[in-house]
Amino acid sequence: MHPWVGEMAAYSFGWREVGGAPSVASGGKGVRQALAVLGAEAAGAPERAGVAAAVAVELVHTFSLLHDDIMDGDGDRRGRPTVWKAYGTGPAVLAGDALFALAVETLAAEPGGAGAVRTLSVALGDLVRGQADDLLFADRPWTGPERVRPDEYRAMAEHKTGALLGCAAALGAALGGACPETVAALDRAGRHLGVAFQIVDDVLGIWGDPRVTGKPVHGDLREGKKTFPVLVALGSPMGGRIAGLLESGDAPETAAALIEEAGGRSAAFAEARRHITAVETALADVPPTARAARAADELRSLLDYLVRRDV
């Protein structure tokens, strides 16, 4: 990369500070990389076969975060300024574009790279679709026939979050030589995992412990985000009162209590569990081999970690 663009990319991964000094900042959970490597193992291949997929998907994920932070106006990520805050909007867009280009180059260099690039492109198209829906949700009313429905939210979450998780597992399997049925099963598993992950994130965004999440309590309510627990609660008899509080921005504590009383929190956990069951169903379609069974067990451990975070 161009040295300046490379510095911004390294900053986005938590490896460097502004100016290029080494950093020990958090670089994220590594979920997509783990899925890619486990996807290769599920195909019966050595875990090394999934490394290119892991790199490419994480590059695309980081690219999407750089652009998302600009679109959402978020000034902080993982406890420090976002790239656009640290370097400027134009440079952050450029760094994101460079990461995407590097992801394509990484896959194109692999045997079967053309098919891998197509798979990544489909996932990226879904991601853009989900992000577009999420942005449009912000302008829709809290109540009435134009309000956002839970089923619309599920579709958005599958595209915005699930597509790239599914792509990670599917790409790892494809580069590991898996049959199309195994690749498709792992893609389904990742997509359902993404929805469950997003919905648990929604719960954390309202009721999470700030010491764990790094975000203020009731943060999503203060920002007026249309998350799954909120959308469910708005469809209850208490929906009008909740909508009034959300529209005014007053008393997020009261809104959180009403959303929980209206069943929003419990419905969110039930929905997450439904998608976890769908992940298990998809994993059952992966041909049973010793390596695949071990990979499936590790995927289940990853599930446990992602959807049972402290709230």
Side-chain angles (χ1 to χ4, degrees):
M1 285 185 176
H2 184 286
W4 183 46
V5 177
E7 179 189 314
M8 289 186 283
Y11 177 89
S12 71
F13 282 110
W15 303 336
R16 298 284 176 179
E17 299 291 352
V18 174
S23 173
V24 292
S26 169
K29 302 178 183 68
V31 172
R32 290 156 192 83
Q33 301 101 300
L35 282 173
V37 171
L38 290 173
E41 289 193 285
E47 58 186 24
R48 182 76 189 173
V51 170
V55 171
V57 171
E58 190 60 19
L59 288 167
V60 167
H61 173 57
T62 305
F63 140 73
S64 74
L65 294 182
L66 265 64
H67 287 197
D68 283 358
D69 287 339
I70 295 168
M71 287 183 277
D72 297 341
D74 290 337
D76 293 286
R77 179 174 291 279
R78 298 169 187 153
R80 62 182 189 159
T82 50
V83 176
W84 74 271
K85 272 290 188 179
Y87 290 90
T89 301
V93 171
L94 185 65
D97 293 344
L99 289 169
F100 175 62
L102 187 57
V104 173
E105 180 184 344
T106 299
L107 286 181
E110 291 294 302
V117 170
R118 282 195 297 273
T119 299
L120 183 67
S121 297
V122 169
L124 181 60
D126 281 349
L127 188 156
V128 170
R129 181 186 182 94
Q131 178 68 9
D133 283 339
D134 196 27
L135 289 173
L136 289 171
F137 286 174
D139 294 327
R140 289 171 61 179
W142 292 104
T143 59
E146 295 301 315
R147 73 179 179 88
V148 181
R149 309 287 174 169
D151 60 333
E152 294 178 280
Y153 182 92
R154 291 184 192 96
M156 180 278 294
E158 180 189 334
H159 290 134
K160 183 178 178 181
T161 306
L164 209 53
L165 292 178
C167 177
L171 272 180
L175 294 180
C179 66
E181 291 77 16
T182 295
V183 172
L186 288 168
D187 181 70
R188 287 197 306 275
R191 284 174 178 265
H192 284 292
L193 173 59
V195 179
F197 177 79
Q198 185 61 60
I199 288 174
V200 171
D201 249 17
D202 290 349
V203 174
L204 290 168
I206 299 175
W207 296 284
D209 184 343
R211 293 170 297 180
V212 176
T213 66
K215 301 176 182 179
V217 68
H218 307 139
D220 281 0
L221 296 181
R222 298 176 195 277
E223 295 177 22
K225 291 185 178 180
K226 294 182 173 70
T227 58
F228 191 83
V230 172
L231 298 178
V232 170
L234 288 171
S236 74
M238 286 183 264
R241 186 179 173 194
I242 293 169
L245 289 170
L246 295 173
E247 286 170 355
S248 68
D250 295 333
E253 300 85 357
T254 303
L258 287 175
I259 290 166
E260 184 163 12
E261 186 179 346
R265 182 170 179 166
S266 60
F269 280 125
E271 183 71 14
R273 286 192 294 270
R274 187 176 73 81
H275 285 281
I276 293 167
T277 300
V279 173
E280 294 281 2
T281 300
L283 291 178
D285 292 334
V286 176
T289 65
R291 193 184 291 271
R294 184 170 64 250
D297 286 343
E298 292 187 22
L299 280 168
R300 291 184 182 96
S301 296
L302 185 62
L303 268 176
D304 188 69
Y305 162 70
L306 289 177
V307 301
R308 291 174 175 83
R309 290 167 285 165
D310 293 334
V311 295

